Amino acid sequence: MKPDASLVKNFLLALQRAIVAQLEALDGGSAFRIDEWRRPTGGGGKTALIEGGALFERGGVAFSHVMGERMPPSATAHRPELAGAKWEAMGVSLVMHPENPYCPTAHMNVRFFIAYPETGEPVWWFGGGMDLTPYYGFEEDARHFHRVCRTALAPFGGVEYPRYKAWCDEYFFLKHRNEARGVGGIFFDDLNEGGFERCFALMRSVGEAFTTAYAPLLERRRTRPWGERERDFQCYRRGRYVEFNLVWDRGTLFGLQSGGRTESILMSLPPLVKWRYDWQPESGSAEARLYEVFLKPRDWVNEA
Amino acid sequence: MKPDASLVKNFLLALQRAIVAQLEALDGGSAFRIDEWRRPTGGGGKTALIEGGALFERGGVAFSHVMGERMPPSATAHRPELAGAKWEAMGVSLVMHPENPYCPTAHMNVRFFIAYPETGEPVWWFGGGMDLTPYYGFEEDARHFHRVCRTALAPFGGVEYPRYKAWCDEYFFLKHRNEARGVGGIFFDDLNEGGFERCFALMRSVGEAFTTAYAPLLERRRTRPWGERERDFQCYRRGRYVEFNLVWDRGTLFGLQSGGRTESILMSLPPLVKWRYDWQPESGSAEARLYEVFLKPRDWVNEA
């Protein structure tokens, strides 16, 4: 089967609609607003945004489809044969920030890239993944999230889950804090092994697994009472999310530095964030437990 | 006069003490805490931090002195003769975030760098500057701040202020927003023209002018009543400060990516920050005036 960008695009738009409908039903309070935009140089997107919901304080599910006449040098460093080729990129990217500090933040992204060199066949690859960032950790939640990730990848061979799990732990890591962003999940890039059909199916499987991985955790935790202390810790920890996305996330930085659509890129940032100097959780506290038990890479699916 | 790093270091430590004493007196509520730290690889610093003050919600005045056995490649791209040289860097850096939204945020930095190539004389340069970021702009405040900057540079020739003012406008610019960070000020780097004595004097003059430039604005605005609306706008605009520092500021990025001391580097981040999607101020409002009148480079000293 030949790579077919329009098939991928139709899937991504349908995935966005499905996820927005599911998250909206889950929220129960607010609707997503849909913001369509076009780039003067071609391409555009559709950003679905929720703010001040009953469950979600802020979150977005963004589809984008952009193209260019010449691959940027940064993208062809290890693919010199594509230097100067026309290219096309599309994806769905989402980040959800619930208000209740017991509900974790989640991120999911699936993307497809295709380059058209002057001579020869188009070169394409898929990328994606999802990861979970709790403020107060629950081992059963981390296990559930990882099990759904493993199940989504199981039809494609036994090695994908452990590889993509390790890749996620490595990618979502704040080197300047020596701290994981959360409990991880899966991450993959440059995927074209086994042909278009297999890779596209793998990407679909990841995208479609997201709400199965995330929604049950929200259902379990959303009614748990919280107070000033938990809210304060959540706002403080959200600072790490900002630091990761603005300092280390290649997609965010490339987007901001290359003239991407700022508001759609930065929909990942939390609504309310606190920084304070050299703060440490009290030894033995629930907050300390997050660092000790959850912010260290762990083999969640094979435990207990 | 030969470059003398210990002279510069003594000046910087005295400058930090003087500024901390002045800002503490101005705050009137809280004292700065002093946090001394050492790098396992040599060097260290002294971070003075205030949080929850009567005037300052968060702010820091940091001295650091670090050194290395080999200049990093990123620092020698346009100075190939220094590749691999031993080096030493020292500076004072400060950012103050007042609580009252009518009081502007301010930043100042003065720094000295010296490299010791295997053969030949040491190579050194100074850098620094200060800039002002209002939430609600006052033209007289911007003029005062710029006039003090001009006066501080006047003894060193007539061209410095306009050059460093333009350099500041260019440096403190959020390209992904097409927006200035604030009303600017002055910025300079790679300064070694005219010899060590002149350059050191220029740097001292800038550092010593800071409280003259900033304190009167706080005195004028600190008692002005504010409410939820002003606070909300301040927290929203502080998001731009975070975006600039984490995405564009070379010093911050270099520090975080090269193993600098994270808490001292990120003392620049505001205590409470909000992000929301595609927000625009109401036409004709005080908030809209900030964008229209103050966030565009302007010749503040020669007006009116």
Side-chain angles (χ1 to χ4, degrees):
Chain A
M1 188 179 172
K2 286 216 160 199
D4 184 339
S6 69
L7 264 185
V8 180
K9 184 169 181 173
N10 289 341
F11 165 75
L12 292 170
L13 285 164
L15 179 70
Q16 184 192 32
R17 276 193 302 275
I19 291 177
V20 164
Q22 286 167 307
L23 295 177
E24 206 167 84
L26 207 55
D27 187 82
S30 284
F32 280 76
R33 55 192 264 220
I34 307 289
D35 198 0
E36 294 201 53
W37 53 275
R38 319 211 119 262
R39 278 191 358 162
T41 53
K46 203 170 166 178
T47 302
L49 226 290
I50 186 168
E51 286 181 321
L55 171 60
F56 298 115
E57 192 176 349
R58 186 174 196 232
V61 186
F63 164 81
S64 70
H65 179 202
V66 295
M67 58 280 293
E69 289 301 310
R70 301 179 66 79
M71 291 272 287
S74 62
T76 55
H78 63 295
R79 295 178 186 266
E81 73 283 10
L82 298 183
K86 283 195 187 194
W87 58 275
E88 212 175 325
M90 55 183 77
V92 165
S93 191
L94 76 81
V95 174
M96 302 305 298
H97 292 290
E99 186 183 14
N100 186 323
Y102 290 109
C103 291
T105 284
H107 161 252
M108 190 276 285
N109 170 249
V110 281
R111 56 191 183 273
F112 177 61
F113 197 94
I114 185 161
Y116 304 93
E118 292 224 356
T119 55
E121 293 293 301
V123 175
W124 55 267
W125 62 90
F126 288 93
M130 60 177 103
D131 73 291
L132 191 72
T133 307
Y135 302 93
Y136 290 89
F138 296 94
E139 307 203 5
E140 65 196 279
D141 289 4
R143 276 198 293 272
H144 169 82
F145 192 84
H146 274 274
R147 280 181 183 149
V148 173
C149 289
R150 184 179 57 176
T151 303
L153 293 171
F156 305 95
V159 300
E160 277 68 16
Y161 170 75
R163 263 186 70 198
Y164 296 173
K165 191 268 185 204
W167 201 344
C168 186
D169 286 338
E170 194 196 317
Y171 185 83
F172 292 104
F173 190 79
L174 287 80
K175 295 187 190 71
H176 66 290
R177 300 276 190 187
N178 193 31
E179 215 178 85
R181 172 158 100 168
V183 296
I186 50 175
F187 180 90
F188 62 98
D189 204 357
D190 296 312
L191 175 71
N192 61 7
E193 273 177 85
F196 176 79
E197 194 159 352
R198 170 187 182 266
C199 297
F200 182 27
L202 188 155
M203 182 264 246
R204 289 200 306 273
S205 185
V206 169
E208 287 168 346
F210 173 71
T211 51
T212 310
Y214 187 44
L217 318 185
L218 299 172
E219 298 285 20
R220 272 182 213 157
R221 312 297 165 199
R222 64 185 299 175
T223 56
R224 191 178 168 117
W226 51 275
E228 241 341 285
R229 171 184 178 141
E230 291 80 13
R231 178 66 166 166
D232 184 63
F233 184 59
Q234 176 197 47
C235 290
Y236 173 78
R237 290 290 317 164
R238 281 171 170 177
R240 302 293 211 272
Y241 217 81
V242 176
E243 292 173 21
F244 180 82
N245 286 10
L246 298 186
V247 176
W248 298 106
D249 187 56
R250 290 192 291 267
T252 301
L253 291 177
F254 177 79
L256 293 179
Q257 292 175 353
S258 67
R261 186 171 185 266
T262 293
E263 287 294 338
S264 297
I265 298 167
L266 297 185
M267 67 165 207
S268 66
L269 300 183
L272 189 69
V273 184
K274 291 181 180 178
W275 274 276
R276 58 180 164 262
Y277 184 73
D278 204 19
W279 182 81
Q280 307 291 342
E282 217 178 293
S283 162
S285 65
E287 291 78 16
R289 216 173 146 255
L290 178 77
Y291 293 80
E292 289 154 14
V293 178
F294 295 93
L295 299 185
K296 305 210 154 90
R298 229 172 101 174
D299 180 9
W300 290 103
V301 284
N302 292 312
E303 289 175 10
Chain B
M1 187 178 171
K2 286 217 160 197
D4 183 340
S6 69
L7 265 185
V8 180
K9 184 169 179 172
N10 289 341
F11 165 75
L12 291 171
L13 284 165
L15 179 70
Q16 183 192 32
R17 274 193 303 274
I19 291 177
V20 165
Q22 287 167 306
L23 294 177
E24 206 166 83
L26 206 56
D27 187 82
S30 284
F32 279 77
R33 56 193 262 219
I34 308 289
D35 197 1
E36 294 203 52
W37 53 274
R38 316 212 122 263
R39 275 189 3 157
T41 53
K46 203 169 165 178
T47 302
L49 226 289
I50 187 168
E51 287 180 321
L55 171 59
F56 298 116
E57 192 177 348
R58 184 173 197 233
V61 186
F63 165 80
S64 69
H65 178 203
V66 294
M67 58 281 292
E69 288 302 310
R70 304 179 64 78
M71 293 269 289
S74 62
T76 55
H78 64 297
R79 294 180 188 264
E81 73 282 10
L82 297 183
K86 282 192 186 198
W87 59 275
E88 214 175 324
M90 55 183 76
V92 165
S93 190
L94 78 80
V95 174
M96 302 304 299
H97 292 289
E99 186 183 15
N100 186 323
Y102 290 109
C103 291
T105 285
H107 161 250
M108 190 276 285
N109 170 249
V110 281
R111 56 191 181 271
F112 177 60
F113 197 96
I114 185 161
Y116 304 93
E118 292 224 356
T119 56
E121 291 294 298
V123 175
W124 55 268
W125 62 90
F126 287 93
M130 59 177 104
D131 73 291
L132 191 72
T133 308
Y135 302 94
Y136 291 89
F138 297 92
E139 308 203 4
E140 66 197 279
D141 290 3
R143 276 197 293 272
H144 169 82
F145 191 84
H146 274 273
R147 280 181 183 149
V148 174
C149 289
R150 185 180 56 178
T151 303
L153 293 171
F156 306 94
V159 300
E160 277 68 17
Y161 170 74
R163 262 186 71 199
Y164 296 173
K165 191 266 185 206
W167 202 343
C168 186
D169 286 339
E170 194 196 318
Y171 185 83
F172 292 104
F173 190 79
L174 287 80
K175 295 186 191 73
H176 66 290
R177 300 276 188 187
N178 194 31
E179 215 178 86
R181 173 157 100 168
V183 296
I186 50 175
F187 179 92
F188 62 99
D189 203 357
D190 295 313
L191 175 71
N192 60 6
E193 272 177 87
F196 176 79
E197 195 159 351
R198 169 187 183 266
C199 296
F200 182 27
L202 188 154
M203 182 264 244
R204 289 199 306 273
S205 184
V206 169
E208 287 166 347
F210 173 70
T211 52
T212 311
Y214 186 43
L217 318 186
L218 298 173
E219 298 285 20
R220 272 182 212 155
R221 312 299 165 197
R222 64 186 298 174
T223 57
R224 190 177 168 117
W226 51 275
E228 238 344 282
R229 174 185 175 141
E230 292 80 12
R231 177 68 166 164
D232 184 64
F233 184 58
Q234 177 198 46
C235 290
Y236 173 78
R237 290 291 315 164
R238 282 171 168 177
R240 301 294 211 271
Y241 217 81
V242 176
E243 292 173 21
F244 179 82
N245 287 10
L246 297 186
V247 176
W248 299 106
D249 186 57
R250 290 191 290 265
T252 302
L253 291 178
F254 176 78
L256 293 180
Q257 293 174 353
S258 67
R261 187 171 184 265
T262 294
E263 287 294 337
S264 297
I265 298 167
L266 297 186
M267 68 167 205
S268 66
L269 300 184
L272 189 70
V273 185
K274 291 182 181 179
W275 274 275
R276 56 179 166 264
Y277 185 73
D278 205 18
W279 182 81
Q280 308 292 342
E282 217 178 293
S283 163
S285 65
E287 293 77 16
R289 215 173 147 255
L290 178 78
Y291 293 80
E292 288 154 15
V293 178
F294 295 92
L295 300 184
K296 307 211 153 89
R298 230 171 101 173
D299 181 8
W300 290 103
V301 284
N302 292 312
E303 289 175 8

